Amino acid sequence: MFFQKKPMLLTFAMLFMPQVAFSASHNDTHNDTHNEIINIPKISGSMVIDANLTEPQWKSAKKVLINNVTRPYDNIPSPVHTEALLMESEGYFYLAFIAKDPDIKEIRAFLKDRDKSWGEDLVGIKIDSYNDQRSAYRFLVNPLGVQIDGIESEVTGNESDAWDGIWESAGKIVPDGYVVEMALPLRMLNFQESENKQTWGLELLRYYPRNEQLRLSNIHLDRGNDCEICQIATATGFEGAKQGSNITVTPSVVLGAQEDRDDNNQWQRDNNTEASLDVRWGITPDWLLNATINPDFSTVEADNAQLNVNNTFALFNREKRPFFLDNQDYFDSDYNLIYTRNINAPNYGAKLTGRENKHAFGLFVTDDQDTNILIPGNRSSSVATIEAESKAAAFRYRYSYNDDITLGWISTLRTSEDYSNSVNGIDARFRLSTTDVFKFQSLFSQTEYPDDLFQQFCNVNDDQDASDCATPKQNGDCQFGDCIYNENVLRTLKEDKFTGNAFKAGYYHSDSEWEYRVSYNRQNAGFRGDLGFMSRVDHNKFVVGGERKWYAEPGSWWTNFKIYSDWDITHNDDNDLIEKEFDINAQLNASYSSYFRLAYTNRESVGSRLDKSDIAIAGNTSLFTENQYVLFAETKPILGFYINANLTWGDQIDYRNNRLGKISRLRNTINYNINKHLEVKLKQTFSQLNADGANVFIARLTDLRTTYQFNVQSFLRLSLIFNNTSRNPNNYLYSAPEDINRHSKTLSTELLYAYKINPQTVFYLGYSDSHYSEEEFNDLEQEQRSLFMKFSYAWIK
């Protein structure tokens, strides 16, 4: 018994004596290479970023070799020679990379838009400017000068290219390889100006994709240490560095004309001219203010197409708007509590982010002309709109107790007429060792809905509008003035304020051979996180899983192989079973950047509610057993060509008809760089569901995007998205055949020209339209068309 209790006692001792337990583990967290000091020299004189390296200052630069393969192999010598040159001068960090290559014809480099060059030859740097192993900037450049930048967070484990800095780069292919030159303005980085001499974490990188995708570095990375930022080298320099006034003022104007076809088949025109102003001000070296007036929060690039058939939960789309993306990582937490795509058309916005020693915080406030909120459930979710102006605010605070303990607080608020939602919560992350992490988050919410919000989700007769509904009706046919219950109605039918809570905790282990995790996640029926993307409530889930990894010797046709398995079980607040699932899959990485994954899932899951007026699960749902298989494969067999395929087959619940069906789904992607300028991307999805020996639906989705990149600053893109869904009305159990839309076809097109001097100085000119038909392709009728132009210019001081 003593030996069984000892690990638990040790765990509690580590939690309640952090100064002893965690400071001891801190020394194990860092690789020995972290203590290798890179002294960055200071130079003077003007520099031209052209990848020629003709300036005499480069002779005084610090030379660092990038000669170690950290992935997929375990720190072996690099097959190619790469050196980085580092120096600083007058508020800039200058870097040059000399990348040798035995065959320059094999260099993978194409002209693309910013952040689109993953998978190509790249060189760059990671910078932990606070040297606290919490987050790092990432700057990468391909041999033609195309930029990738972003932020990696050790606290949340997220890596994002959403952040865009303003910096210079140039690349050039030369007879024996390629050369890249970079200039990073210090005003772009957050660091402690109070320190006379800066001490930063730093890693220099080269990605070398040939038969294998090699990651080269100036340091050694321990496979058994899941924290890469903790292992990067130390750089000193930038004595007396200042960030200056750090003011960026960006006015912009958007001109647009849109036409929509009305019920009388007549075009209705709407002209729109909007001017806006964005200000980015470094109040202090550690505090940044973003403010915007009448912002253009539209996005000029269409979202990735997604099929929404036989799916009961709302779809997620990534944020693309610059105001929300700047320092977005300051607001990250394990729960997605800040999903800014909810905010549609604000008149103003302000955001303050900063760090002071061990403290980091983020605060933003904005309004919105309409209020879109996600109504969550345990079998479905949907979006509701309150047609009234609203306010939104979020506050995030993190305290780095030491290198291994991070504590946090988060608050969000949305308010409108007769509506409010507030969330407050704490979270913590404990790095127990180089391989073990424990983290949790606990939240409390209070919400008030408008009395008539449920009306948006009523099922009504064809000759009756949901706005006519007066009171819900539990059973029977919908009468005039009445509504039939469903889950969305039941979740929104609230007369007074209500409260709820959410809790998530997990233990995660990762070493060179094994990964395993145990987690628990609960959102009770009253919890709402309306500023975030919280689609499930009345829901608690327990997961246990593990992974075993094997590695090949250098030169083999494969590089690594994994077997992963997990088991999870989900209940509602009444402890009724919602789902029980077992997963197992095998994953193989091989030559030509190939990856294969074969997965099997056995799932017991409940279907739709039998009595829609009762929110209960037990006695009100049918339990189905699904056996499902997935095969995924991807490869880059030749230069500039990428293909993948994702095949799913087996059982799947037909939610519309509450029965078990057979699914066949194929998703595939083809990316082809015809030359350095022209790229074609094709994504297709085919999904077919059969049940009771007959077809239920066939859905096809095609997303074609062709881009001609003139240079690193400008491109012309044509996008075509075609959705074609056919249903069998005779195989829908609870609907008359005439009520089922047999065919549905939509076609959206966009032609966009973009010229970007930097992420904030841009010019866009575009045309888009949409077509719809319930018959054949030839019957597609244009329903909407628009012409738009946007111009913005960033003044930087």
Side-chain angles (χ1 to χ4, degrees), residues 305-309 315 685 698-703 720-727 743-748 771-773 775 777 780:
Q306 302 179 71
L307 269 181
N308 192 18
V309 58
L315 299 179
T685 300
I698 298 176
R700 304 174 183 86
L701 179 67
T702 302
D703 187 337
L720 301 171
I721 300 174
F722 180 55
N723 189 334
N724 181 9
T725 301
S726 299
R727 295 175 173 86
H743 299 290
S744 173
K745 295 179 175 63
T746 61
L747 175 65
S748 301
H771 304 72
Y772 179 77
S773 172
E775 299 299 333
F777 180 83
L780 282 169

PDB file of all heavy atoms in Angstrom, residues 305-309 315 685 698-703 720-727 743-748 771-773 775 777 780:
ATOM      1  N   ALA A 305     -14.106  26.581 -48.037  1.00  0.00           N
ATOM      2  CA  ALA A 305     -15.433  25.983 -48.178  1.00  0.00           C
ATOM      3  C   ALA A 305     -15.568  24.768 -47.269  1.00  0.00           C
ATOM      4  O   ALA A 305     -14.632  23.984 -47.112  1.00  0.00           O
ATOM      5  CB  ALA A 305     -15.666  25.589 -49.628  1.00  0.00           C
ATOM      6  N   GLN A 306     -16.762  24.615 -46.649  1.00  0.00           N
ATOM      7  CA  GLN A 306     -17.046  23.479 -45.781  1.00  0.00           C
ATOM      8  C   GLN A 306     -18.441  22.942 -46.091  1.00  0.00           C
ATOM      9  O   GLN A 306     -19.363  23.709 -46.304  1.00  0.00           O
ATOM     10  CB  GLN A 306     -16.992  23.885 -44.302  1.00  0.00           C
ATOM     11  CG  GLN A 306     -15.666  24.487 -43.854  1.00  0.00           C
ATOM     12  CD  GLN A 306     -15.708  24.883 -42.387  1.00  0.00           C
ATOM     13  OE1 GLN A 306     -15.716  24.036 -41.498  1.00  0.00           O
ATOM     14  NE2 GLN A 306     -15.733  26.171 -42.126  1.00  0.00           N
ATOM     15  N   LEU A 307     -18.555  21.617 -46.105  1.00  0.00           N
ATOM     16  CA  LEU A 307     -19.866  21.003 -46.256  1.00  0.00           C
ATOM     17  C   LEU A 307     -20.603  21.045 -44.928  1.00  0.00           C
ATOM     18  O   LEU A 307     -20.023  20.754 -43.881  1.00  0.00           O
ATOM     19  CB  LEU A 307     -19.726  19.546 -46.702  1.00  0.00           C
ATOM     20  CG  LEU A 307     -19.709  19.251 -48.201  1.00  0.00           C
ATOM     21  CD1 LEU A 307     -19.598  17.757 -48.427  1.00  0.00           C
ATOM     22  CD2 LEU A 307     -20.934  19.816 -48.899  1.00  0.00           C
ATOM     23  N   ASN A 308     -21.878  21.385 -44.972  1.00  0.00           N
ATOM     24  CA  ASN A 308     -22.688  21.418 -43.764  1.00  0.00           C
ATOM     25  C   ASN A 308     -23.948  20.594 -43.992  1.00  0.00           C
ATOM     26  O   ASN A 308     -25.047  21.111 -44.112  1.00  0.00           O
ATOM     27  CB  ASN A 308     -23.038  22.864 -43.396  1.00  0.00           C
ATOM     28  CG  ASN A 308     -23.631  22.968 -41.999  1.00  0.00           C
ATOM     29  OD1 ASN A 308     -23.488  22.050 -41.190  1.00  0.00           O
ATOM     30  ND2 ASN A 308     -24.300  24.066 -41.725  1.00  0.00           N
ATOM     31  N   VAL A 309     -23.749  19.270 -44.072  1.00  0.00           N
ATOM     32  CA  VAL A 309     -24.861  18.356 -44.288  1.00  0.00           C
ATOM     33  C   VAL A 309     -24.700  17.202 -43.302  1.00  0.00           C
ATOM     34  O   VAL A 309     -23.594  16.705 -43.073  1.00  0.00           O
ATOM     35  CB  VAL A 309     -24.894  17.853 -45.753  1.00  0.00           C
ATOM     36  CG1 VAL A 309     -23.606  17.165 -46.132  1.00  0.00           C
ATOM     37  CG2 VAL A 309     -26.102  16.967 -46.000  1.00  0.00           C
ATOM     38  N   LEU A 315     -20.360  25.567 -37.636  1.00  0.00           N
ATOM     39  CA  LEU A 315     -19.029  25.482 -38.231  1.00  0.00           C
ATOM     40  C   LEU A 315     -18.134  26.606 -37.717  1.00  0.00           C
ATOM     41  O   LEU A 315     -18.588  27.701 -37.405  1.00  0.00           O
ATOM     42  CB  LEU A 315     -19.129  25.559 -39.752  1.00  0.00           C
ATOM     43  CG  LEU A 315     -19.941  24.447 -40.428  1.00  0.00           C
ATOM     44  CD1 LEU A 315     -19.985  24.673 -41.932  1.00  0.00           C
ATOM     45  CD2 LEU A 315     -19.375  23.070 -40.106  1.00  0.00           C
ATOM     46  N   THR A 685     -14.714  17.499 -52.047  1.00  0.00           N
ATOM     47  CA  THR A 685     -15.310  16.605 -51.062  1.00  0.00           C
ATOM     48  C   THR A 685     -16.503  15.900 -51.706  1.00  0.00           C
ATOM     49  O   THR A 685     -17.346  16.550 -52.325  1.00  0.00           O
ATOM     50  CB  THR A 685     -15.783  17.370 -49.814  1.00  0.00           C
ATOM     51  OG1 THR A 685     -14.671  18.027 -49.200  1.00  0.00           O
ATOM     52  CG2 THR A 685     -16.408  16.406 -48.806  1.00  0.00           C
ATOM     53  N   ILE A 698     -26.387  12.761 -51.497  1.00  0.00           N
ATOM     54  CA  ILE A 698     -25.044  12.831 -52.077  1.00  0.00           C
ATOM     55  C   ILE A 698     -24.665  14.316 -52.121  1.00  0.00           C
ATOM     56  O   ILE A 698     -25.397  15.125 -52.695  1.00  0.00           O
ATOM     57  CB  ILE A 698     -24.981  12.227 -53.490  1.00  0.00           C
ATOM     58  CG1 ILE A 698     -25.334  10.738 -53.454  1.00  0.00           C
ATOM     59  CG2 ILE A 698     -23.599  12.428 -54.090  1.00  0.00           C
ATOM     60  CD1 ILE A 698     -25.397  10.101 -54.833  1.00  0.00           C
ATOM     61  N   ALA A 699     -23.550  14.644 -51.490  1.00  0.00           N
ATOM     62  CA  ALA A 699     -23.099  16.043 -51.446  1.00  0.00           C
ATOM     63  C   ALA A 699     -21.712  16.136 -52.067  1.00  0.00           C
ATOM     64  O   ALA A 699     -20.827  15.327 -51.770  1.00  0.00           O
ATOM     65  CB  ALA A 699     -23.083  16.555 -50.009  1.00  0.00           C
ATOM     66  N   ARG A 700     -21.546  17.144 -52.921  1.00  0.00           N
ATOM     67  CA  ARG A 700     -20.263  17.374 -53.577  1.00  0.00           C
ATOM     68  C   ARG A 700     -19.876  18.831 -53.378  1.00  0.00           C
ATOM     69  O   ARG A 700     -20.699  19.734 -53.546  1.00  0.00           O
ATOM     70  CB  ARG A 700     -20.344  17.065 -55.076  1.00  0.00           C
ATOM     71  CG  ARG A 700     -20.832  15.654 -55.409  1.00  0.00           C
ATOM     72  CD  ARG A 700     -21.024  15.514 -56.910  1.00  0.00           C
ATOM     73  NE  ARG A 700     -21.565  14.212 -57.300  1.00  0.00           N
ATOM     74  CZ  ARG A 700     -22.867  13.928 -57.334  1.00  0.00           C
ATOM     75  NH1 ARG A 700     -23.767  14.872 -57.013  1.00  0.00           N
ATOM     76  NH2 ARG A 700     -23.276  12.738 -57.701  1.00  0.00           N
ATOM     77  N   LEU A 701     -18.614  19.036 -53.036  1.00  0.00           N
ATOM     78  CA  LEU A 701     -18.105  20.394 -52.828  1.00  0.00           C
ATOM     79  C   LEU A 701     -16.771  20.535 -53.550  1.00  0.00           C
ATOM     80  O   LEU A 701     -15.864  19.713 -53.356  1.00  0.00           O
ATOM     81  CB  LEU A 701     -17.927  20.682 -51.339  1.00  0.00           C
ATOM     82  CG  LEU A 701     -17.383  22.064 -50.964  1.00  0.00           C
ATOM     83  CD1 LEU A 701     -18.395  23.147 -51.321  1.00  0.00           C
ATOM     84  CD2 LEU A 701     -17.049  22.125 -49.481  1.00  0.00           C
ATOM     85  N   THR A 702     -16.653  21.555 -54.366  1.00  0.00           N
ATOM     86  CA  THR A 702     -15.420  21.826 -55.110  1.00  0.00           C
ATOM     87  C   THR A 702     -14.963  23.245 -54.823  1.00  0.00           C
ATOM     88  O   THR A 702     -15.745  24.193 -54.953  1.00  0.00           O
ATOM     89  CB  THR A 702     -15.632  21.653 -56.624  1.00  0.00           C
ATOM     90  OG1 THR A 702     -16.081  20.316 -56.886  1.00  0.00           O
ATOM     91  CG2 THR A 702     -14.339  21.912 -57.384  1.00  0.00           C
ATOM     92  N   ASP A 703     -13.707  23.384 -54.422  1.00  0.00           N
ATOM     93  CA  ASP A 703     -13.111  24.693 -54.122  1.00  0.00           C
ATOM     94  C   ASP A 703     -11.848  24.817 -54.967  1.00  0.00           C
ATOM     95  O   ASP A 703     -10.837  24.165 -54.701  1.00  0.00           O
ATOM     96  CB  ASP A 703     -12.786  24.783 -52.630  1.00  0.00           C
ATOM     97  CG  ASP A 703     -12.308  26.172 -52.205  1.00  0.00           C
ATOM     98  OD1 ASP A 703     -11.816  26.925 -53.067  1.00  0.00           O
ATOM     99  OD2 ASP A 703     -12.407  26.503 -51.013  1.00  0.00           O
ATOM    100  N   LEU A 720     -13.308  29.753 -57.238  1.00  0.00           N
ATOM    101  CA  LEU A 720     -14.608  29.182 -57.606  1.00  0.00           C
ATOM    102  C   LEU A 720     -14.985  28.152 -56.545  1.00  0.00           C
ATOM    103  O   LEU A 720     -14.210  27.219 -56.285  1.00  0.00           O
ATOM    104  CB  LEU A 720     -14.550  28.501 -58.975  1.00  0.00           C
ATOM    105  CG  LEU A 720     -14.151  29.352 -60.174  1.00  0.00           C
ATOM    106  CD1 LEU A 720     -13.942  28.475 -61.400  1.00  0.00           C
ATOM    107  CD2 LEU A 720     -15.210  30.393 -60.462  1.00  0.00           C
ATOM    108  N   ILE A 721     -16.173  28.291 -55.944  1.00  0.00           N
ATOM    109  CA  ILE A 721     -16.652  27.345 -54.950  1.00  0.00           C
ATOM    110  C   ILE A 721     -18.020  26.850 -55.391  1.00  0.00           C
ATOM    111  O   ILE A 721     -18.963  27.633 -55.517  1.00  0.00           O
ATOM    112  CB  ILE A 721     -16.742  27.986 -53.555  1.00  0.00           C
ATOM    113  CG1 ILE A 721     -15.357  28.487 -53.109  1.00  0.00           C
ATOM    114  CG2 ILE A 721     -17.285  26.988 -52.546  1.00  0.00           C
ATOM    115  CD1 ILE A 721     -15.382  29.260 -51.804  1.00  0.00           C
ATOM    116  N   PHE A 722     -18.113  25.538 -55.637  1.00  0.00           N
ATOM    117  CA  PHE A 722     -19.353  24.943 -56.151  1.00  0.00           C
ATOM    118  C   PHE A 722     -19.831  23.881 -55.169  1.00  0.00           C
ATOM    119  O   PHE A 722     -19.096  22.956 -54.822  1.00  0.00           O
ATOM    120  CB  PHE A 722     -19.119  24.338 -57.527  1.00  0.00           C
ATOM    121  CG  PHE A 722     -20.342  23.703 -58.137  1.00  0.00           C
ATOM    122  CD1 PHE A 722     -21.522  24.432 -58.284  1.00  0.00           C
ATOM    123  CD2 PHE A 722     -20.326  22.383 -58.559  1.00  0.00           C
ATOM    124  CE1 PHE A 722     -22.647  23.846 -58.841  1.00  0.00           C
ATOM    125  CE2 PHE A 722     -21.445  21.783 -59.118  1.00  0.00           C
ATOM    126  CZ  PHE A 722     -22.614  22.527 -59.261  1.00  0.00           C
ATOM    127  N   ASN A 723     -21.080  24.012 -54.716  1.00  0.00           N
ATOM    128  CA  ASN A 723     -21.694  23.073 -53.787  1.00  0.00           C
ATOM    129  C   ASN A 723     -22.902  22.436 -54.477  1.00  0.00           C
ATOM    130  O   ASN A 723     -23.815  23.142 -54.907  1.00  0.00           O
ATOM    131  CB  ASN A 723     -22.122  23.808 -52.505  1.00  0.00           C
ATOM    132  CG  ASN A 723     -22.566  22.854 -51.410  1.00  0.00           C
ATOM    133  OD1 ASN A 723     -23.012  21.741 -51.669  1.00  0.00           O
ATOM    134  ND2 ASN A 723     -22.440  23.305 -50.172  1.00  0.00           N
ATOM    135  N   ASN A 724     -22.890  21.129 -54.566  1.00  0.00           N
ATOM    136  CA  ASN A 724     -23.952  20.405 -55.268  1.00  0.00           C
ATOM    137  C   ASN A 724     -24.454  19.283 -54.358  1.00  0.00           C
ATOM    138  O   ASN A 724     -23.749  18.300 -54.119  1.00  0.00           O
ATOM    139  CB  ASN A 724     -23.412  19.831 -56.576  1.00  0.00           C
ATOM    140  CG  ASN A 724     -24.469  19.076 -57.361  1.00  0.00           C
ATOM    141  OD1 ASN A 724     -25.655  19.111 -57.033  1.00  0.00           O
ATOM    142  ND2 ASN A 724     -24.046  18.372 -58.404  1.00  0.00           N
ATOM    143  N   THR A 725     -25.668  19.433 -53.836  1.00  0.00           N
ATOM    144  CA  THR A 725     -26.243  18.452 -52.916  1.00  0.00           C
ATOM    145  C   THR A 725     -27.549  17.911 -53.491  1.00  0.00           C
ATOM    146  O   THR A 725     -28.425  18.684 -53.891  1.00  0.00           O
ATOM    147  CB  THR A 725     -26.497  19.065 -51.532  1.00  0.00           C
ATOM    148  OG1 THR A 725     -25.263  19.551 -50.987  1.00  0.00           O
ATOM    149  CG2 THR A 725     -27.089  18.031 -50.586  1.00  0.00           C
ATOM    150  N   SER A 726     -27.662  16.576 -53.518  1.00  0.00           N
ATOM    151  CA  SER A 726     -28.882  15.920 -53.984  1.00  0.00           C
ATOM    152  C   SER A 726     -29.416  15.027 -52.871  1.00  0.00           C
ATOM    153  O   SER A 726     -28.652  14.274 -52.246  1.00  0.00           O
ATOM    154  CB  SER A 726     -28.599  15.068 -55.229  1.00  0.00           C
ATOM    155  OG  SER A 726     -28.126  15.870 -56.293  1.00  0.00           O
ATOM    156  N   ARG A 727     -30.734  15.097 -52.633  1.00  0.00           N
ATOM    157  CA  ARG A 727     -31.376  14.300 -51.589  1.00  0.00           C
ATOM    158  C   ARG A 727     -32.440  13.394 -52.205  1.00  0.00           C
ATOM    159  O   ARG A 727     -33.025  13.724 -53.230  1.00  0.00           O
ATOM    160  CB  ARG A 727     -32.007  15.212 -50.528  1.00  0.00           C
ATOM    161  CG  ARG A 727     -30.989  16.043 -49.753  1.00  0.00           C
ATOM    162  CD  ARG A 727     -31.675  17.007 -48.805  1.00  0.00           C
ATOM    163  NE  ARG A 727     -30.731  17.698 -47.941  1.00  0.00           N
ATOM    164  CZ  ARG A 727     -30.087  18.803 -48.268  1.00  0.00           C
ATOM    165  NH1 ARG A 727     -30.295  19.351 -49.458  1.00  0.00           N
ATOM    166  NH2 ARG A 727     -29.243  19.362 -47.421  1.00  0.00           N
ATOM    167  N   HIS A 743     -32.776  18.991 -54.963  1.00  0.00           N
ATOM    168  CA  HIS A 743     -31.478  19.432 -55.476  1.00  0.00           C
ATOM    169  C   HIS A 743     -31.164  20.826 -54.938  1.00  0.00           C
ATOM    170  O   HIS A 743     -32.058  21.666 -54.803  1.00  0.00           O
ATOM    171  CB  HIS A 743     -31.460  19.475 -57.012  1.00  0.00           C
ATOM    172  CG  HIS A 743     -31.705  18.148 -57.659  1.00  0.00           C
ATOM    173  ND1 HIS A 743     -30.794  17.125 -57.613  1.00  0.00           N
ATOM    174  CD2 HIS A 743     -32.772  17.694 -58.367  1.00  0.00           C
ATOM    175  CE1 HIS A 743     -31.284  16.088 -58.270  1.00  0.00           C
ATOM    176  NE2 HIS A 743     -32.483  16.406 -58.733  1.00  0.00           N
ATOM    177  N   SER A 744     -29.891  21.058 -54.649  1.00  0.00           N
ATOM    178  CA  SER A 744     -29.441  22.369 -54.202  1.00  0.00           C
ATOM    179  C   SER A 744     -28.051  22.599 -54.764  1.00  0.00           C
ATOM    180  O   SER A 744     -27.121  21.828 -54.495  1.00  0.00           O
ATOM    181  CB  SER A 744     -29.413  22.434 -52.670  1.00  0.00           C
ATOM    182  OG  SER A 744     -28.833  23.641 -52.232  1.00  0.00           O
ATOM    183  N   LYS A 745     -27.912  23.664 -55.542  1.00  0.00           N
ATOM    184  CA  LYS A 745     -26.636  23.991 -56.171  1.00  0.00           C
ATOM    185  C   LYS A 745     -26.311  25.458 -55.925  1.00  0.00           C
ATOM    186  O   LYS A 745     -27.162  26.328 -56.149  1.00  0.00           O
ATOM    187  CB  LYS A 745     -26.678  23.719 -57.677  1.00  0.00           C
ATOM    188  CG  LYS A 745     -26.854  22.243 -58.035  1.00  0.00           C
ATOM    189  CD  LYS A 745     -26.916  22.066 -59.545  1.00  0.00           C
ATOM    190  CE  LYS A 745     -26.957  20.589 -59.911  1.00  0.00           C
ATOM    191  NZ  LYS A 745     -28.155  19.920 -59.391  1.00  0.00           N
ATOM    192  N   THR A 746     -25.093  25.719 -55.453  1.00  0.00           N
ATOM    193  CA  THR A 746     -24.621  27.092 -55.280  1.00  0.00           C
ATOM    194  C   THR A 746     -23.248  27.225 -55.915  1.00  0.00           C
ATOM    195  O   THR A 746     -22.427  26.302 -55.845  1.00  0.00           O
ATOM    196  CB  THR A 746     -24.544  27.496 -53.801  1.00  0.00           C
ATOM    197  OG1 THR A 746     -23.607  26.626 -53.125  1.00  0.00           O
ATOM    198  CG2 THR A 746     -25.904  27.402 -53.130  1.00  0.00           C
ATOM    199  N   LEU A 747     -23.008  28.356 -56.533  1.00  0.00           N
ATOM    200  CA  LEU A 747     -21.719  28.664 -57.141  1.00  0.00           C
ATOM    201  C   LEU A 747     -21.309  30.067 -56.715  1.00  0.00           C
ATOM    202  O   LEU A 747     -22.052  31.021 -56.937  1.00  0.00           O
ATOM    203  CB  LEU A 747     -21.791  28.576 -58.667  1.00  0.00           C
ATOM    204  CG  LEU A 747     -20.524  28.999 -59.427  1.00  0.00           C
ATOM    205  CD1 LEU A 747     -19.365  28.060 -59.113  1.00  0.00           C
ATOM    206  CD2 LEU A 747     -20.786  29.055 -60.923  1.00  0.00           C
ATOM    207  N   SER A 748     -20.148  30.172 -56.090  1.00  0.00           N
ATOM    208  CA  SER A 748     -19.604  31.473 -55.696  1.00  0.00           C
ATOM    209  C   SER A 748     -18.289  31.694 -56.413  1.00  0.00           C
ATOM    210  O   SER A 748     -17.455  30.780 -56.509  1.00  0.00           O
ATOM    211  CB  SER A 748     -19.375  31.526 -54.178  1.00  0.00           C
ATOM    212  OG  SER A 748     -20.570  31.311 -53.477  1.00  0.00           O
ATOM    213  N   HIS A 771     -24.437  32.330 -57.246  1.00  0.00           N
ATOM    214  CA  HIS A 771     -25.507  31.779 -58.064  1.00  0.00           C
ATOM    215  C   HIS A 771     -26.184  30.655 -57.294  1.00  0.00           C
ATOM    216  O   HIS A 771     -25.558  29.986 -56.457  1.00  0.00           O
ATOM    217  CB  HIS A 771     -24.963  31.220 -59.388  1.00  0.00           C
ATOM    218  CG  HIS A 771     -24.185  32.196 -60.210  1.00  0.00           C
ATOM    219  ND1 HIS A 771     -22.920  32.613 -59.838  1.00  0.00           N
ATOM    220  CD2 HIS A 771     -24.488  32.837 -61.374  1.00  0.00           C
ATOM    221  CE1 HIS A 771     -22.472  33.471 -60.745  1.00  0.00           C
ATOM    222  NE2 HIS A 771     -23.403  33.615 -61.687  1.00  0.00           N
ATOM    223  N   TYR A 772     -27.449  30.397 -57.609  1.00  0.00           N
ATOM    224  CA  TYR A 772     -28.203  29.344 -56.929  1.00  0.00           C
ATOM    225  C   TYR A 772     -29.177  28.685 -57.900  1.00  0.00           C
ATOM    226  O   TYR A 772     -29.733  29.338 -58.788  1.00  0.00           O
ATOM    227  CB  TYR A 772     -28.976  29.902 -55.738  1.00  0.00           C
ATOM    228  CG  TYR A 772     -29.799  28.867 -55.008  1.00  0.00           C
ATOM    229  CD1 TYR A 772     -29.194  27.964 -54.140  1.00  0.00           C
ATOM    230  CD2 TYR A 772     -31.182  28.781 -55.200  1.00  0.00           C
ATOM    231  CE1 TYR A 772     -29.941  27.003 -53.473  1.00  0.00           C
ATOM    232  CE2 TYR A 772     -31.940  27.822 -54.540  1.00  0.00           C
ATOM    233  CZ  TYR A 772     -31.308  26.936 -53.679  1.00  0.00           C
ATOM    234  OH  TYR A 772     -32.043  25.979 -53.028  1.00  0.00           O
ATOM    235  N   SER A 773     -29.373  27.372 -57.691  1.00  0.00           N
ATOM    236  CA  SER A 773     -30.356  26.648 -58.496  1.00  0.00           C
ATOM    237  C   SER A 773     -30.859  25.455 -57.713  1.00  0.00           C
ATOM    238  O   SER A 773     -30.110  24.829 -56.945  1.00  0.00           O
ATOM    239  CB  SER A 773     -29.732  26.163 -59.812  1.00  0.00           C
ATOM    240  OG  SER A 773     -30.633  25.308 -60.505  1.00  0.00           O
ATOM    241  N   GLU A 775     -32.325  23.098 -59.619  1.00  0.00           N
ATOM    242  CA  GLU A 775     -32.444  22.165 -60.736  1.00  0.00           C
ATOM    243  C   GLU A 775     -31.056  21.762 -61.222  1.00  0.00           C
ATOM    244  O   GLU A 775     -30.226  21.359 -60.442  1.00  0.00           O
ATOM    245  CB  GLU A 775     -33.275  22.806 -61.855  1.00  0.00           C
ATOM    246  CG  GLU A 775     -34.697  23.172 -61.432  1.00  0.00           C
ATOM    247  CD  GLU A 775     -35.528  21.981 -60.987  1.00  0.00           C
ATOM    248  OE1 GLU A 775     -35.240  20.857 -61.470  1.00  0.00           O
ATOM    249  OE2 GLU A 775     -36.445  22.158 -60.172  1.00  0.00           O
ATOM    250  N   PHE A 777     -27.265  22.324 -63.380  1.00  0.00           N
ATOM    251  CA  PHE A 777     -26.195  23.320 -63.362  1.00  0.00           C
ATOM    252  C   PHE A 777     -26.493  24.459 -64.329  1.00  0.00           C
ATOM    253  O   PHE A 777     -26.223  25.622 -64.029  1.00  0.00           O
ATOM    254  CB  PHE A 777     -24.863  22.643 -63.721  1.00  0.00           C
ATOM    255  CG  PHE A 777     -23.691  23.581 -63.731  1.00  0.00           C
ATOM    256  CD1 PHE A 777     -23.037  23.903 -62.558  1.00  0.00           C
ATOM    257  CD2 PHE A 777     -23.250  24.158 -64.925  1.00  0.00           C
ATOM    258  CE1 PHE A 777     -21.954  24.781 -62.557  1.00  0.00           C
ATOM    259  CE2 PHE A 777     -22.179  25.024 -64.935  1.00  0.00           C
ATOM    260  CZ  PHE A 777     -21.522  25.334 -63.747  1.00  0.00           C
ATOM    261  N   LEU A 780     -28.448  27.549 -63.044  1.00  0.00           N
ATOM    262  CA  LEU A 780     -27.924  28.445 -62.018  1.00  0.00           C
ATOM    263  C   LEU A 780     -28.269  29.890 -62.362  1.00  0.00           C
ATOM    264  O   LEU A 780     -28.069  30.344 -63.489  1.00  0.00           O
ATOM    265  CB  LEU A 780     -26.407  28.300 -61.898  1.00  0.00           C
ATOM    266  CG  LEU A 780     -25.884  27.084 -61.118  1.00  0.00           C
ATOM    267  CD1 LEU A 780     -24.390  26.932 -61.319  1.00  0.00           C
ATOM    268  CD2 LEU A 780     -26.199  27.220 -59.629  1.00  0.00           C
TER     269      LEU A 780
END
